[in-house]
Amino acid sequence: MAEQPFPGTAQVLAADNAEASPLRTTRRGSQPPARGSEDGKPPPLLSRRNSILSRRSSFGMVPGSRRPSWMLHRRVSFTGLPIFQPILKTRLENTYRMGPDKGCKFDAERVQRVLEGTLACALGTAAYSPQGSAPLAQSLTELLQNQAKEVVPPRYKLVCHVVLGQQGQQSLVVGSRGLWDPETDSFASATFSNVSLFAVATVYGVYFE
Amino acid sequence: MDEFQTGEEASFLVDEVSSIIKEAIEGAIGGNAYQHSKVNQWTTSVVEQTLSQLTKLGKPFKYIVTCVIMQKNGAGLHTASSCFWDNSSDGTCTVRWENKTMYCIVSAFGLAI
Protein backbone atom coordinates (compact mmCIF):
# COMPACT_ATOMS: atom_id res chain seq x y z
CA MET A 1 0.00 0.00 0.00
CA ALA A 2 2.60 2.49 -1.01
CA GLU A 3 0.28 4.83 -2.88
CA GLN A 4 -1.63 7.70 -1.34
CA PRO A 5 -5.19 6.97 -0.34
CA PHE A 6 -7.78 8.32 -2.75
CA PRO A 7 -9.91 11.28 -1.66
CA GLY A 8 -12.88 9.03 -0.95
CA THR A 9 -11.06 6.76 1.42
CA ALA A 10 -9.26 9.71 2.98
CA GLN A 11 -12.60 11.24 3.83
CA VAL A 12 -13.72 8.05 5.44
CA LEU A 13 -10.51 7.61 7.34
CA ALA A 14 -10.66 11.15 8.62
CA ALA A 15 -14.12 10.76 10.05
CA ASP A 16 -12.96 8.66 12.91
CA ASN A 17 -15.17 6.89 15.33
CA ALA A 18 -14.29 4.58 18.11
CA GLU A 19 -16.01 1.79 16.30
CA ALA A 20 -14.28 2.74 13.06
CA SER A 21 -10.78 1.74 14.14
CA PRO A 22 -11.11 -2.02 14.01
CA LEU A 23 -12.92 -1.67 10.72
CA ARG A 24 -10.50 0.83 9.24
CA THR A 25 -7.63 -1.57 8.87
CA THR A 26 -9.72 -4.25 7.30
CA ARG A 27 -11.38 -1.75 5.01
CA ARG A 28 -8.06 -0.68 3.60
CA GLY A 29 -7.38 -4.24 2.68
CA SER A 30 -10.70 -4.70 1.01
CA GLN A 31 -10.42 -1.57 -1.13
CA PRO A 32 -7.45 -2.11 -3.41
CA PRO A 33 -6.02 1.14 -4.82
CA ALA A 34 -6.27 0.14 -8.47
CA ARG A 35 -9.88 -0.66 -8.96
CA GLY A 36 -10.75 -1.24 -12.59
CA SER A 37 -14.49 -0.81 -12.93
CA GLU A 38 -16.60 1.79 -11.28
CA ASP A 39 -19.37 -0.70 -10.73
CA GLY A 40 -17.32 -2.99 -8.55
CA LYS A 41 -19.19 -4.66 -5.74
CA PRO A 42 -18.82 -2.78 -2.48
CA PRO A 43 -17.00 -4.81 0.13
CA PRO A 44 -19.24 -6.73 2.49
CA LEU A 45 -18.49 -4.35 5.35
CA LEU A 46 -20.55 -1.65 3.70
CA SER A 47 -23.73 -3.51 4.29
CA ARG A 48 -23.24 -3.18 8.00
CA ARG A 49 -22.67 0.50 7.60
CA ASN A 50 -25.74 0.87 5.52
CA SER A 51 -27.94 -0.63 8.14
CA ILE A 52 -26.62 1.91 10.64
CA LEU A 53 -27.28 4.66 8.18
CA SER A 54 -30.83 3.64 7.45
CA ARG A 55 -31.62 3.77 11.11
CA ARG A 56 -30.03 7.17 11.37
CA SER A 57 -31.86 8.44 8.39
CA SER A 58 -35.21 7.29 9.61
CA PHE A 59 -34.65 9.31 12.75
CA GLY A 60 -33.36 12.37 11.10
CA MET A 61 -35.59 12.67 8.08
CA VAL A 62 -38.98 14.29 8.02
CA PRO A 63 -41.41 11.93 6.32
CA GLY A 64 -42.07 13.03 2.81
CA SER A 65 -38.82 14.89 2.44
CA ARG A 66 -36.56 14.05 -0.47
CA ARG A 67 -33.35 12.24 0.20
CA PRO A 68 -30.31 13.32 -1.72
CA SER A 69 -29.48 10.91 -4.50
CA TRP A 70 -26.24 9.70 -3.01
CA MET A 71 -28.03 8.38 0.06
CA LEU A 72 -29.98 5.99 -2.05
CA HIS A 73 -26.88 4.55 -3.63
CA ARG A 74 -25.71 2.83 -0.49
CA ARG A 75 -22.12 4.00 -0.88
CA VAL A 76 -21.86 6.09 2.18
CA SER A 77 -19.58 6.17 5.15
CA PHE A 78 -20.28 6.13 8.84
CA THR A 79 -20.81 9.81 9.01
CA GLY A 80 -23.35 9.76 6.24
CA LEU A 81 -21.04 11.47 3.83
CA PRO A 82 -20.89 9.95 0.37
CA ILE A 83 -17.93 7.99 -0.83
CA PHE A 84 -17.17 9.07 -4.35
CA GLN A 85 -15.55 6.56 -6.61
CA PRO A 86 -12.05 7.75 -7.42
CA ILE A 87 -11.64 8.79 -11.02
CA LEU A 88 -8.81 6.68 -12.34
CA LYS A 89 -6.55 8.59 -14.71
CA THR A 90 -4.78 6.23 -17.03
CA ARG A 91 -1.09 6.83 -16.79
CA LEU A 92 0.63 6.31 -20.08
CA GLU A 93 4.19 5.12 -20.13
CA ASN A 94 6.88 7.48 -21.23
CA THR A 95 7.84 6.67 -24.81
CA TYR A 96 11.07 8.73 -24.67
CA ARG A 97 10.42 9.92 -28.21
CA MET A 98 11.59 13.35 -29.22
CA GLY A 99 10.31 13.37 -32.78
CA PRO A 100 8.74 11.20 -35.43
CA ASP A 101 10.65 8.19 -36.73
CA LYS A 102 12.80 8.63 -39.80
CA GLY A 103 10.70 8.44 -42.90
CA CYS A 104 7.53 8.82 -40.86
CA LYS A 105 6.90 12.49 -41.38
CA PHE A 106 3.86 14.24 -42.74
CA ASP A 107 4.01 13.62 -46.48
CA ALA A 108 2.49 16.74 -47.98
CA GLU A 109 2.46 15.56 -51.57
CA ARG A 110 0.76 12.31 -50.77
CA VAL A 111 -1.91 14.02 -48.73
CA GLN A 112 -2.44 16.59 -51.48
CA ARG A 113 -3.04 13.84 -54.01
CA VAL A 114 -5.54 12.22 -51.68
CA LEU A 115 -7.32 15.55 -51.19
CA GLU A 116 -7.53 16.25 -54.90
CA GLY A 117 -8.88 12.81 -55.62
CA THR A 118 -11.48 12.98 -52.86
CA LEU A 119 -12.64 16.46 -53.84
CA ALA A 120 -13.05 15.46 -57.46
CA CYS A 121 -15.06 12.38 -56.47
CA ALA A 122 -17.26 14.11 -53.96
CA LEU A 123 -17.95 17.35 -55.79
CA GLY A 124 -17.77 16.20 -59.39
CA THR A 125 -21.45 16.62 -60.09
CA ALA A 126 -22.49 18.79 -57.15
CA ALA A 127 -24.25 22.10 -57.60
CA TYR A 128 -24.31 24.94 -55.11
CA SER A 129 -27.47 25.44 -53.09
CA PRO A 130 -27.80 27.69 -50.02
CA GLN A 131 -29.44 25.02 -47.85
CA GLY A 132 -27.57 22.00 -49.06
CA SER A 133 -24.05 23.36 -49.14
CA ALA A 134 -23.64 23.83 -45.40
CA PRO A 135 -24.09 20.14 -44.54
CA LEU A 136 -22.11 19.29 -47.66
CA ALA A 137 -19.15 21.30 -46.38
CA GLN A 138 -19.32 19.58 -42.99
CA SER A 139 -19.54 16.11 -44.45
CA LEU A 140 -16.69 16.96 -46.78
CA THR A 141 -14.38 17.90 -43.92
CA GLU A 142 -15.13 14.65 -42.12
CA LEU A 143 -14.58 12.65 -45.28
CA LEU A 144 -11.28 14.39 -46.01
CA GLN A 145 -10.16 13.92 -42.45
CA ASN A 146 -10.86 10.20 -42.56
CA GLN A 147 -9.01 9.89 -45.85
CA ALA A 148 -6.07 11.85 -44.52
CA LYS A 149 -5.91 9.77 -41.33
CA GLU A 150 -5.18 6.67 -43.35
CA VAL A 151 -2.26 8.26 -45.13
CA VAL A 152 -0.72 10.19 -42.27
CA PRO A 153 1.77 8.50 -39.87
CA PRO A 154 0.82 7.95 -36.21
CA ARG A 155 1.22 10.59 -33.48
CA TYR A 156 0.01 13.33 -35.81
CA LYS A 157 -2.89 15.60 -34.96
CA LEU A 158 -4.90 16.75 -37.96
CA VAL A 159 -6.86 19.90 -38.66
CA CYS A 160 -8.95 19.82 -41.83
CA HIS A 161 -10.40 23.10 -43.13
CA VAL A 162 -12.75 23.42 -46.10
CA VAL A 163 -14.04 26.57 -47.80
CA LEU A 164 -16.97 25.97 -50.13
CA GLY A 165 -18.49 28.81 -52.10
CA GLN A 166 -20.71 29.70 -54.96
CA GLN A 167 -19.02 30.41 -58.24
CA GLY A 168 -19.67 34.01 -59.11
CA GLN A 169 -17.80 37.05 -60.24
CA GLN A 170 -16.12 37.65 -56.90
CA SER A 171 -12.56 37.10 -55.90
CA LEU A 172 -11.39 35.29 -52.83
CA VAL A 173 -8.15 34.85 -50.95
CA VAL A 174 -7.48 32.09 -48.43
CA GLY A 175 -4.34 32.51 -46.34
CA SER A 176 -2.99 30.77 -43.30
CA ARG A 177 0.03 30.73 -41.10
CA GLY A 178 1.12 28.37 -38.40
CA LEU A 179 3.36 28.45 -35.39
CA TRP A 180 4.87 24.98 -35.25
CA ASP A 181 7.99 22.92 -35.71
CA PRO A 182 8.79 23.14 -39.43
CA GLU A 183 10.78 19.91 -39.41
CA THR A 184 7.91 17.74 -38.30
CA ASP A 185 4.74 19.68 -39.11
CA SER A 186 3.32 20.63 -42.46
CA PHE A 187 0.14 21.10 -44.46
CA ALA A 188 -1.40 20.14 -47.79
CA SER A 189 -4.07 21.91 -49.76
CA ALA A 190 -6.15 21.29 -52.86
CA THR A 191 -8.75 23.23 -54.79
CA PHE A 192 -11.65 22.20 -56.95
CA SER A 193 -14.07 24.20 -59.03
CA ASN A 194 -16.90 23.55 -61.42
CA VAL A 195 -19.58 25.70 -63.00
CA SER A 196 -21.55 26.43 -59.87
CA LEU A 197 -19.18 26.07 -56.95
CA PHE A 198 -15.59 26.06 -55.82
CA ALA A 199 -13.90 24.39 -52.88
CA VAL A 200 -10.58 24.91 -51.13
CA ALA A 201 -9.47 22.15 -48.74
CA THR A 202 -6.48 22.31 -46.42
CA VAL A 203 -5.17 19.68 -44.05
CA TYR A 204 -2.59 20.60 -41.40
CA GLY A 205 -0.57 17.87 -39.73
CA VAL A 206 0.97 18.66 -36.36
CA TYR A 207 3.22 16.19 -34.54
CA PHE A 208 2.11 15.38 -31.02
CA GLU A 209 5.03 14.92 -28.65
CA MET B 1 6.79 9.71 -10.66
CA ASP B 2 6.25 11.97 -13.64
CA GLU B 3 3.10 13.96 -13.05
CA PHE B 4 2.94 16.80 -15.53
CA GLN B 5 -0.40 18.22 -14.53
CA THR B 6 -1.74 20.77 -16.96
CA GLY B 7 -2.66 23.78 -14.91
CA GLU B 8 -5.26 26.41 -15.62
CA GLU B 9 -2.91 28.44 -17.75
CA ALA B 10 -2.42 25.67 -20.31
CA SER B 11 -5.91 25.52 -21.76
CA PHE B 12 -7.31 27.06 -24.91
CA LEU B 13 -9.48 30.00 -23.82
CA VAL B 14 -11.92 30.78 -26.60
CA ASP B 15 -12.92 34.26 -25.41
CA GLU B 16 -9.36 35.42 -25.12
CA VAL B 17 -8.45 34.15 -28.57
CA SER B 18 -11.62 35.59 -30.06
CA SER B 19 -10.79 39.08 -28.81
CA ILE B 20 -7.24 38.77 -30.13
CA ILE B 21 -8.56 37.87 -33.57
CA LYS B 22 -11.07 40.73 -33.60
CA GLU B 23 -8.40 43.25 -32.74
CA ALA B 24 -6.15 41.93 -35.48
CA ILE B 25 -8.90 42.18 -38.09
CA GLU B 26 -9.91 45.68 -37.04
CA GLY B 27 -6.33 46.78 -37.11
CA ALA B 28 -5.57 45.39 -40.54
CA ILE B 29 -8.73 45.96 -42.59
CA GLY B 30 -10.89 48.02 -40.25
CA GLY B 31 -12.17 50.81 -42.41
CA ASN B 32 -11.07 49.65 -45.85
CA ALA B 33 -13.04 48.74 -48.92
CA TYR B 34 -12.19 45.65 -50.95
CA GLN B 35 -9.19 46.14 -53.19
CA HIS B 36 -7.85 43.21 -55.13
CA SER B 37 -4.30 44.50 -55.08
CA LYS B 38 -4.20 44.79 -51.32
CA VAL B 39 -5.97 41.58 -50.33
CA ASN B 40 -2.83 39.47 -50.14
CA GLN B 41 -1.22 41.98 -47.87
CA TRP B 42 -4.32 42.12 -45.68
CA THR B 43 -4.57 38.38 -45.17
CA THR B 44 -0.87 38.26 -44.31
CA SER B 45 -1.13 41.05 -41.80
CA VAL B 46 -4.27 39.65 -40.13
CA VAL B 47 -2.70 36.24 -39.78
CA GLU B 48 0.68 37.53 -38.60
CA GLN B 49 -0.84 39.90 -36.08
CA THR B 50 -3.08 37.15 -34.67
CA LEU B 51 -0.23 34.69 -34.47
CA SER B 52 2.14 37.10 -32.73
CA GLN B 53 -0.49 37.99 -30.14
CA LEU B 54 -1.22 34.31 -29.54
CA THR B 55 2.48 33.65 -29.06
CA LYS B 56 2.64 36.38 -26.45
CA LEU B 57 0.18 34.42 -24.32
CA GLY B 58 3.05 32.09 -23.61
CA LYS B 59 1.06 28.86 -23.52
CA PRO B 60 2.46 25.45 -24.55
CA PHE B 61 0.48 25.36 -27.80
CA LYS B 62 1.12 25.07 -31.51
CA TYR B 63 -1.14 27.42 -33.45
CA ILE B 64 -2.68 27.43 -36.92
CA VAL B 65 -4.47 30.57 -38.08
CA THR B 66 -6.52 30.65 -41.30
CA CYS B 67 -7.99 33.74 -42.91
CA VAL B 68 -10.52 33.90 -45.74
CA ILE B 69 -11.36 37.26 -47.30
CA MET B 70 -14.10 37.37 -49.91
CA GLN B 71 -15.53 40.24 -51.86
CA LYS B 72 -19.25 40.85 -51.41
CA ASN B 73 -20.89 40.07 -54.67
CA GLY B 74 -23.99 38.13 -53.81
CA ALA B 75 -22.31 34.72 -53.83
CA GLY B 76 -22.63 32.33 -50.91
CA LEU B 77 -19.73 31.01 -48.86
CA HIS B 78 -19.42 28.14 -46.37
CA THR B 79 -16.46 27.13 -44.27
CA ALA B 80 -16.16 23.96 -42.25
CA SER B 81 -13.40 22.28 -40.33
CA SER B 82 -12.93 18.99 -38.59
CA CYS B 83 -10.07 18.12 -36.31
CA PHE B 84 -8.41 14.95 -35.12
CA TRP B 85 -7.00 15.90 -31.74
CA ASP B 86 -7.36 15.71 -28.01
CA ASN B 87 -10.67 17.33 -27.05
CA SER B 88 -9.66 18.11 -23.52
CA SER B 89 -6.59 20.17 -24.32
CA ASP B 90 -7.03 21.52 -27.86
CA GLY B 91 -9.48 24.08 -29.13
CA THR B 92 -10.56 26.29 -31.96
CA CYS B 93 -12.08 29.73 -32.39
CA THR B 94 -13.68 31.20 -35.52
CA VAL B 95 -14.55 34.85 -35.98
CA ARG B 96 -16.74 36.20 -38.79
CA TRP B 97 -16.37 39.86 -39.68
CA GLU B 98 -17.83 41.90 -42.48
CA ASN B 99 -18.12 45.40 -43.77
CA LYS B 100 -19.93 46.82 -46.79
CA THR B 101 -17.61 45.37 -49.40
CA MET B 102 -16.12 42.17 -48.04
CA TYR B 103 -16.40 39.23 -45.67
CA CYS B 104 -13.55 38.05 -43.48
CA ILE B 105 -13.52 34.70 -41.66
CA VAL B 106 -10.59 33.92 -39.38
CA SER B 107 -10.13 30.54 -37.69
CA ALA B 108 -7.53 29.88 -35.05
CA PHE B 109 -6.66 26.34 -33.93
CA GLY B 110 -4.57 25.65 -30.86
CA LEU B 111 -3.01 22.22 -30.34
CA ALA B 112 -1.34 21.34 -27.09
CA ILE B 113 2.12 19.89 -27.21
Side-chain angles (χ1 to χ4, degrees):
Chain A
M1 300 294 153
E3 287 190 52
Q4 281 178 10
F6 293 109
T9 51
Q11 205 174 15
V12 165
L13 294 173
D16 224 305
N17 262 346
E19 53 187 2
S21 35
L23 288 164
R24 196 204 301 165
T25 46
T26 48
R27 203 190 310 136
R28 238 195 243 155
S30 63
Q31 287 193 8
R35 201 188 297 180
S37 65
E38 270 187 76
D39 296 327
K41 281 189 191 167
L45 290 165
L46 272 175
S47 57
R48 202 196 304 175
R49 265 181 268 146
N50 284 336
S51 60
I52 297 170
L53 171 71
S54 59
R55 257 188 280 133
R56 237 191 254 162
S57 58
S58 64
F59 289 148
M61 291 289 206
V62 175
S65 70
R66 268 200 236 148
R67 294 183 191 179
S69 61
W70 49 261
M71 276 187 135
L72 301 167
H73 283 289
R74 298 182 171 266
R75 287 193 189 162
V76 290
S77 68
F78 280 99
T79 56
L81 296 170
I83 298 178
F84 295 110
Q85 287 292 341
I87 300 166
L88 295 169
K89 275 191 181 175
T90 49
R91 282 190 183 171
L92 298 169
E93 274 187 6
N94 202 340
T95 60
Y96 298 101
R97 266 200 220 171
M98 303 274 281
D101 297 332
K102 286 189 187 173
C104 265
K105 288 195 185 167
F106 186 86
D107 193 347
E109 284 180 11
R110 202 170 164 202
V111 177
Q112 184 176 353
R113 272 180 268 139
V114 166
L115 289 180
E116 283 170 2
T118 317
L119 279 178
C121 277
L123 298 177
T125 53
Y128 182 86
S129 74
Q131 296 84 24
S133 292
L136 175 63
Q138 284 175 351
S139 61
L140 199 57
T141 53
E142 283 172 25
L143 176 66
L144 287 171
Q145 188 188 278
N146 289 330
Q147 297 280 351
K149 256 197 262 182
E150 291 169 16
V151 186
V152 148
R155 295 181 73 85
Y156 267 90
K157 288 182 178 175
L158 294 177
V159 174
C160 175
H161 189 248
V162 164
V163 179
L164 187 77
Q166 190 180 16
Q167 187 84 282
Q169 296 296 321
Q170 81 283 357
S171 76
L172 167 92
V173 174
V174 178
S176 70
R177 196 165 285 233
L179 180 75
W180 56 35
D181 184 357
E183 288 175 27
T184 56
D185 308 328
S186 184
F187 76 102
S189 73
T191 60
F192 172 86
S193 63
N194 67 13
V195 174
S196 67
L197 56 75
F198 68 90
V200 179
T202 320
V203 169
Y204 306 90
V206 173
Y207 182 72
F208 179 58
E209 288 176 27
Chain B
M1 286 286 174
D2 292 328
E3 278 275 351
F4 294 112
Q5 295 291 342
T6 51
E8 279 305 314
E9 70 271 0
S11 58
F12 192 83
L13 296 170
V14 177
D15 298 327
E16 198 179 18
V17 174
S18 163
S19 59
I20 287 175
I21 297 175
K22 281 180 193 161
E23 280 174 21
I25 298 176
E26 292 287 332
I29 52 177
N32 299 340
Y34 185 87
Q35 279 174 272
H36 185 71
S37 53
K38 286 201 180 170
V39 161
N40 265 327
Q41 188 188 329
W42 286 338
T43 46
T44 314
S45 71
V46 166
V47 166
E48 275 184 8
Q49 176 72 0
T50 310
L51 208 50
S52 63
Q53 292 295 325
L54 285 172
T55 323
K56 281 184 192 170
L57 294 175
K59 295 189 180 181
F61 277 87
K62 288 182 178 174
Y63 295 105
I64 296 168
V65 179
T66 309
C67 172
V68 179
I69 295 185
M70 187 172 95
Q71 189 183 16
K72 273 193 182 181
N73 228 345
L77 179 73
H78 298 273
T79 58
S81 63
S82 78
C83 308
F84 179 61
W85 60 22
D86 183 356
N87 266 331
S88 53
S89 57
D90 307 330
T92 175
C93 174
T94 307
V95 171
R96 281 167 296 279
W97 182 94
E98 62 178 290
N99 67 8
K100 285 185 190 166
T101 51
M102 57 184 169
Y103 295 108
C104 177
I105 303 175
V106 177
S107 305
F109 304 91
L111 296 96
I113 50 175

